[in-house]
Amino acid sequence: MRTIGVLTSGGDAPGMNAAIRAVVRAGIYNGMKVMGIERGYNGLINGHIKEMELSSVADIIHRGGTVLKTARCEEFKTEEGRKKAINVLKVFGIEGLVVIGGDGSFAGAQKLSEAGIKTIGIPGTIDNDLAYTDYTIGFYTAVNTVLDAIGKIRDTSASHDRANIVEVMGRHCGDIALYAGLAGGAESVILPEEEYNIDEICKKLIQGKNRGKLHSIIMLAEGLGNAFEIGKKIEEVTNIETKVTVLGHIQRGGNPTAFDRILASRMGARAVELLMDGASGRVVGIRANQLIDMDIHEALLIEKKFDKEISELTKMLSI
Ligand code: ATP
């Protein structure tokens, strides 16, 4: 293989740059030309492609976001759109492609692979919603960002004897709320994977207050109802002033943690190795700290299991 391409697709995640750097440097190290495709499948269809040099990825391992930019592309979901993309790949002589993104991006990569383009996926999403891998690139950085916010919220909440609902990202996967809840010592965590009981949450807040607790944190995964309405309800029942903080997009930004940089570097290099071995339609993951790779289709079929152990531990430690 003489020329490979790399793109980032879907939502951005801290550590994507470290993954791009690894793909570019591992590719060049192994004597290949590496082309950077801008704005995901959008840039692929429109030929927004440039050759990456060693220096193109200098000074980016520590930066959040993605120097290749990312986008969502409806056209790529159509047969016609993909035909255009495949033609562009041929014109640029790109024989293998590394796609850094989430499950949607992987579904696209699989279609390219079925059409004969050698394609490898790297999991880049803060949500940690890909079941085949223990961790996705960006997840732990997002959890750290949430922890940083919790620390600041605690300072102000303690000064006012308040409770605080902290709404975090994650869509159908509550991992950010759960892990940040455990690490941040949250009093309650509201997740999509578990029924929650508002009366129980209120009882805990009242008991905590009676014990002299100065403040309380309730983690809320997004999409589980209106945080402000939940806050109002809690305030009515407990008589504890309850503020709401919706963290939003700050969770996507920031310098990647050491864990994410190392994960991204390992995965990027493995993706290049797989392409050199002639593999296609596979995704790279990590299980028990060992890199793995598996068929994209099979990987996407695995259902995400809720981490009951972490959830039970969080509850036990927040009594
Ligand atoms: P995130 O988890 O951060 O949202 P993602 O990769 O899941 O990342 P999506 O918006 O679902 O993000 O997908 C990114 C892009 O992948 C889409 O805009 C589209 O171009 C392509 N894609 C998604 N699903 C398919 C599909 N079924 N077939 C072909 N391409 C797809």
Side-chain angles (χ1 to χ4, degrees):
M1 194 166 283
R2 276 167 308 184
T3 306
I4 61 171
V6 56
L7 61 80
T8 47
S9 167
D12 66 331
M16 277 183 162
N17 276 330
I20 295 168
R21 172 181 179 269
V23 171
V24 170
R25 295 248 163 116
I28 293 174
Y29 177 86
N30 285 291
M32 288 184 286
K33 210 183 201 188
V34 185
M35 308 299 281
I37 299 152
E38 289 177 342
R39 296 185 181 80
Y41 294 124
N42 218 342
L44 185 53
I45 287 175
N46 295 299
H48 296 152
I49 298 174
K50 57 183 182 194
E51 185 171 347
M52 306 291 278
E53 312 285 349
L54 290 174
S55 59
S56 318
V57 290
D59 207 24
I60 66 166
I61 193 169
H62 60 294
R63 291 187 203 281
T66 154
V67 291
L68 288 176
K69 309 228 180 219
T70 183
R72 307 198 195 262
C73 175
E74 282 306 307
E75 195 182 353
F76 190 76
K77 290 185 181 168
T78 66
E79 187 88 38
E80 222 169 276
R82 287 195 299 275
K83 268 193 190 141
K84 279 192 206 168
I86 290 165
N87 277 337
V88 171
L89 285 167
K90 288 196 174 131
V91 167
F92 280 83
I94 298 172
E95 297 157 285
L97 181 68
V98 178
V99 172
I100 306 165
D103 55 352
S105 305
F106 284 180
Q110 192 197 347
K111 298 236 166 85
L112 280 181
S113 173
E114 283 162 7
I117 306 292
K118 293 207 168 5
T119 315
I120 304 292
I122 294 179
T125 166
I126 63 166
D127 296 341
N128 208 34
D129 58 350
L130 293 164
Y132 78 94
T133 181
D134 289 347
Y135 300 110
T136 56
I137 297 167
F139 168 65
Y140 261 119
T141 304
V143 170
N144 274 322
T145 301
V146 174
L147 287 182
D148 184 48
I150 289 177
K152 289 174 175 140
I153 290 164
R154 276 199 191 284
D155 289 347
T156 165
S157 292
S159 308
H160 289 272
D161 302 314
R162 280 176 185 151
N164 218 295
I165 296 179
V166 183
E167 187 186 288
V168 298
M169 283 182 166
R171 283 180 301 174
H172 312 295
C173 177
D175 278 15
I176 295 179
L178 181 60
Y179 281 67
L182 174 61
E187 277 62 33
S188 298
V189 182
I190 303 175
L191 301 167
E193 294 91 347
E194 269 185 333
E195 292 279 316
Y196 76 95
N197 182 331
I198 193 88
D199 294 334
E200 275 300 313
I201 293 172
C202 290
K203 196 167 125 196
K204 220 168 175 182
L205 287 177
I206 294 167
Q207 284 170 341
K209 190 181 177 189
N210 291 343
R211 252 183 23 230
K213 247 181 198 269
L214 297 176
H215 56 75
S216 292
I217 299 284
I218 300 145
M219 298 299 303
L220 171 68
E222 69 182 346
L224 296 176
N226 185 313
F228 293 90
E229 275 168 22
I230 297 173
K232 219 166 130 204
K233 179 100 199 276
I234 290 174
E235 214 168 64
E236 277 165 15
V237 176
T238 62
N239 213 18
I240 298 169
E241 192 183 3
T242 305
K243 294 284 180 193
V244 173
T245 307
V246 178
L247 291 183
H249 277 80
I250 67 159
Q251 291 164 90
R252 287 194 184 279
N255 297 346
T257 57
F259 180 86
D260 277 328
R261 295 182 205 189
I262 291 165
L263 184 65
S265 301
R266 292 176 74 190
M267 286 181 166
R270 173 60 67 89
V272 171
E273 215 174 275
L274 286 166
L275 284 177
M276 288 193 310
D277 288 347
S280 183
R282 300 192 74 76
V283 281
V284 181
I286 189 157
R287 285 188 192 160
N289 204 27
Q290 297 296 312
L291 285 187
I292 56 141
D293 62 273
M294 71 188 293
D295 180 77
I296 298 184
H297 184 61
E298 270 175 40
L300 290 179
L301 283 178
I302 302 176
E303 239 176 84
K304 176 91 182 166
K305 268 207 220 114
F306 176 52
D307 201 332
K308 253 195 153 350
E309 187 197 323
I310 299 279
S311 166
E312 292 305 321
L313 180 63
T314 308
K315 283 182 196 141
M316 185 178 90
L317 300 182
S318 64
I319 47 170

